[in-house]
Amino acid sequence: MPTAKEQSLAEKFKSASGTVQEFCPHGTRQDCERVGNNTVRCSKLHFRRLINKHTDESLGDCSFLNTCFHMDTCKYVHYEIEYPPTLDKTASAPNKGLRGDNTMTLIQPQWVQCDLRSLDIDVLGKFAVIMADPPWDIHMELPYGTMQDDEMRKLNVPGLQDDGFIFLWVTGRAMELGRECLQLWGYKQVDEIIWVKTNQLQRLIRTGRTGHWLNHGKEHCLVGVKGDPAGYNRGLDCDVIVAEVRETSHKPDEIYGLIERLSPGTRKIELFGRMHNVQPNWTTLGNQLDGVNLVEPDIIERFNTAYPDGNCMKPREKKPAEMKR
């Protein structure tokens, strides 16, 4: 049984919406009615088959479903969610898990388009939580550029944090390199989160796009700690996330809620992010973001001093006074 303190803490982070719309295990409404009780209409979410002129139903379901790169020509069967007339589509959107009592002051999302290999991270200050999804060189063909192992080791991650947590996404051969980087950056690995991937129909992924010997149906996120963090919460979440895959490199939104509950209201930074990653209380860095958006006055002042032209995609020119140090 949870203690009174644990119950109070869990209630504090309870979702404001209160309910989650559940998917029917039978998939489509037709399959549900075929095996279920026809006298009671199922109230859960169902899927609708998308049958186009080029679809050959005898081939069955597309292995990649809504992540298929060729949906306009793919001959396999695809699906879309069949929303009941009374249900707003936003009701089934992933809840990112921020606390619902509206007592927390959230800083607006901030981001900087930059080359992390040369960015002067001192202008950004310190953060309680770091999350990174690096473009590891996993010796596979990928739809984006990768970084060499030594470039990863030399990233100035230590300068972003004195005390706090790091969440480092790894896969394939990068798992051992990721552990090495944690140690080099001054962290002790204390946990590991597993993301179990499901497809659009909420079934386990069996034909992942990565893996040399076996298809990967999961990803790992190493959790490290540095120094003596304060104000964090233990035991609110588990180390397994079961969530649907989306486009390449798009991690599950559930990770943001998990981190916010662990370290509520603190400054957080995400490395190698894209525009779909920007969040309240987070500063996002990456070379695929749209320009620069900063809201904290002291950060804006330091940033404008270091980068008068706002260009962080190249190493900044140091002033003579800095070169003499």
Side-chain angles (χ1 to χ4, degrees):
M1 288 288 292
T3 64
K5 181 179 179 180
E6 291 170 339
Q7 288 178 330
S8 174
L9 194 59
E11 187 66 24
K12 185 178 181 180
F13 291 97
K14 190 175 182 180
S15 170
S17 60
T19 59
V20 175
Q21 190 70 17
E22 185 179 351
F23 284 100
C24 176
H26 301 301
T28 67
R29 184 168 295 281
Q30 291 81 1
D31 292 337
C32 176
E33 293 175 348
R34 187 179 301 117
V35 301
N37 182 358
N38 292 330
T39 61
V40 179
R41 184 175 177 83
C42 180
S43 60
K44 298 177 181 178
L45 282 179
H46 296 83
F47 291 93
R48 179 190 296 115
R49 288 185 176 89
L50 295 176
I51 306 301
N52 299 303
K53 292 182 179 179
H54 55 265
T55 304
D56 183 349
E57 294 185 68
S58 66
L59 297 176
D61 296 346
C62 174
S63 297
F64 299 108
L65 295 172
N66 60 333
T67 62
C68 177
F69 293 150
H70 310 287
M71 289 185 66
D72 293 340
T73 57
C74 181
K75 295 183 179 181
Y76 291 84
V77 177
H78 293 83
Y79 294 82
E80 66 180 2
I81 297 177
E82 179 183 313
Y83 291 96
T86 57
L87 179 66
D88 184 354
K89 293 183 179 182
T90 60
S92 62
N95 188 304
K96 296 181 181 180
L98 299 181
R99 56 195 277 195
D101 57 9
N102 296 321
T103 61
M104 183 187 297
T105 300
L106 299 179
I107 300 174
Q108 295 178 19
Q110 303 182 94
W111 63 85
V112 178
Q113 182 187 33
C114 61
D115 186 337
L116 276 161
R117 294 170 296 185
S118 58
L119 179 69
D120 181 3
I121 56 90
D122 291 337
V123 303
L124 300 173
K126 302 295 182 179
F127 297 86
V129 178
I130 300 170
M131 181 164 68
D133 182 18
W136 304 105
D137 181 5
I138 58 173
H139 298 172
M140 293 186 67
E141 185 176 347
L142 297 168
Y144 52 82
T146 60
M147 286 177 58
Q148 298 177 6
D149 294 356
D150 279 344
E151 290 179 316
M152 290 303 309
R153 296 183 180 102
K154 294 176 182 177
L155 282 179
N156 190 15
V157 174
L160 292 169
Q161 191 175 67
D162 294 328
D163 303 276
F165 300 92
I166 187 169
F167 291 76
L168 182 64
W169 289 98
V170 294
T171 186
R173 64 174 292 272
M175 292 182 67
E176 293 306 317
L177 177 59
R179 292 187 174 94
E180 179 187 346
C181 285
L182 285 184
Q183 186 174 11
L184 287 172
W185 297 337
Y187 292 89
K188 175 184 178 183
Q189 184 182 342
V190 293
D191 247 316
E192 183 173 331
I193 296 170
I194 304 297
W195 170 26
V196 179
K197 299 180 177 181
T198 61
N199 61 24
Q200 182 188 18
L201 301 181
Q202 310 306 301
R203 299 166 184 165
L204 291 179
I205 291 287
R206 300 184 182 277
T207 53
R209 289 191 171 101
T210 60
H212 286 283
W213 306 102
L214 300 173
N215 287 322
H216 290 174
K218 59 178 173 57
E219 284 193 37
H220 301 250
C221 183
L222 307 179
V223 183
V225 66
K226 178 182 181 182
D228 186 20
Y232 61 90
N233 298 314
R234 293 178 181 267
L236 283 181
D237 289 274
C238 75
D239 58 357
V240 177
I241 295 174
V242 180
E244 183 179 335
V245 297
R246 290 169 289 185
E247 61 264 30
T248 301
S249 295
H250 198 157
K251 297 303 186 284
D253 290 334
E254 286 84 349
I255 190 68
Y256 295 103
L258 184 154
I259 292 174
E260 192 63 42
R261 290 185 290 272
L262 173 71
S263 182
T266 57
R267 296 185 78 228
K268 303 172 179 70
I269 189 166
E270 180 165 5
L271 311 182
F272 305 103
R274 300 174 182 174
M275 289 309 299
H276 61 243
N277 297 116
V278 299
Q279 305 282 328
N281 275 7
W282 286 78
T283 300
T284 307
L285 307 181
N287 63 4
Q288 297 185 34
L289 294 164
D290 296 336
V292 177
N293 181 68
L294 296 171
V295 298
E296 294 176 282
D298 56 332
I299 305 301
I300 293 174
E301 182 179 353
R302 292 200 296 266
F303 181 85
N304 289 339
T305 300
Y307 297 96
D309 61 354
N311 185 1
C312 308
M313 294 298 292
K314 60 181 181 180
R316 74 181 183 93
E317 295 183 6
K318 292 187 177 182
K319 299 178 180 180
E322 294 177 296
M323 297 178 67
K324 292 178 182 178
R325 294 175 186 173

